[in-house]
């Protein structure tokens, strides 16, 4: 199971008018610890950022699963309520899970989510779908 950490990278970004502006961008990294997450995001961002940059924050997320779509350029967070029935009281119980979906827009995020949930036997309801500010997501690298 993946451990997803949100890392915020702060650096000077060159604007279209030529001016440098300090920006902070969030990224998602699969890592075993906070230390590894910081090291991984530093390694991943070094080729793309010229000059100084720093990792301003690292926090653990509650993302249960990610539905990838190579054609997608944005990330959407889908909050799903899985519905179970308590056998003793016959009451419905809802447990919320967060699933990240890669898509081009809201409609394709919804469609990609439904595609990812196709084999699921559990009853569920979509509580919300929202676009995230995430710039990119980095999977765990398997070294041979």
């Amino acid at each position: 199971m993946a451990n997803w950490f949100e890392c915020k990278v702060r650096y000077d970004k060159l604007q279209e008018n030529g001016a440098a502006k300090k920006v902070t961008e969030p990224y998602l990294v699969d890592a075993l610890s906070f230390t590894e997450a910081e090291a991984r995001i530093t390694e991943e961002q070094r080729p793309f950022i010229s000059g100084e940059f720093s990792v301003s924050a690292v926090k653990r997320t509650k993302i249960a699963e990610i539905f990838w779509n190579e054609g997608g350029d944005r990330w959407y967070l889908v909050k799903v309520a899985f519905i179970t029935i308590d056998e003793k009281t016959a009451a419905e119980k809802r447990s919320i899970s967060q699933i990240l979906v890669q898509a081009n827009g809201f409609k394709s995020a919804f469609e990609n989510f439904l595609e990812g949930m196709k084999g699921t036997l559990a009853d569920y309801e979509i509580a919300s779908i929202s676009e995230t500010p995430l710039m990119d997501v980095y999977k765990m690298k398997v070294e041979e």
Side-chain angles (χ1 to χ4, degrees):
M1 185 171 154
N3 260 337
W4 294 103
F5 290 87
E6 183 179 312
C7 301
K8 294 193 176 183
V9 178
R10 186 165 176 76
Y11 67 98
D12 288 327
K13 187 174 190 175
L14 198 59
Q15 301 297 305
E16 290 178 13
N17 63 5
K21 180 182 176 187
K22 275 256 189 239
V23 295
T24 302
E25 295 178 339
Y27 296 88
L28 208 61
V29 176
D30 183 9
L32 298 173
S33 66
F34 288 89
T35 306
E36 183 186 352
E38 184 174 359
R40 291 246 357 261
I41 196 62
T42 301
E43 173 191 331
E44 294 286 355
Q45 289 302 301
R46 187 168 281 128
F48 301 110
I49 300 174
S50 59
E52 294 288 317
F53 71 93
S54 64
V55 179
S56 60
V58 178
K59 71 177 183 180
R60 192 179 304 269
T61 65
K62 293 182 180 181
I63 293 174
E65 197 169 345
I66 296 181
F67 295 157
W68 303 89
N69 177 0
E70 295 305 318
D73 61 348
R74 287 180 277 188
W75 296 93
Y76 291 84
L77 187 65
V78 180
K79 290 185 182 178
V80 182
F82 287 99
I83 304 164
T84 56
I85 306 290
D86 187 316
E87 292 177 13
K88 293 180 182 174
T89 63
E92 277 190 3
K93 182 182 176 201
R94 297 172 189 274
S95 57
I96 300 289
S97 287
Q98 297 182 10
I99 298 175
L100 198 64
V101 178
Q102 188 177 17
N104 285 325
F106 186 84
K107 184 175 184 244
S108 62
F110 177 71
E111 291 166 353
N112 293 349
F113 171 77
L114 292 178
E115 182 66 30
M117 294 297 284
K118 246 186 188 147
T120 305
L121 298 176
D123 291 334
Y124 65 89
E125 287 180 352
I126 297 172
S128 69
I129 300 176
S130 58
E131 186 175 349
T132 69
L134 290 173
M135 301 302 288
D136 210 348
V137 176
Y138 297 105
K139 300 178 194 177
M140 181 67 75
K141 289 183 178 175
V142 180
E143 296 181 18
E144 294 177 24

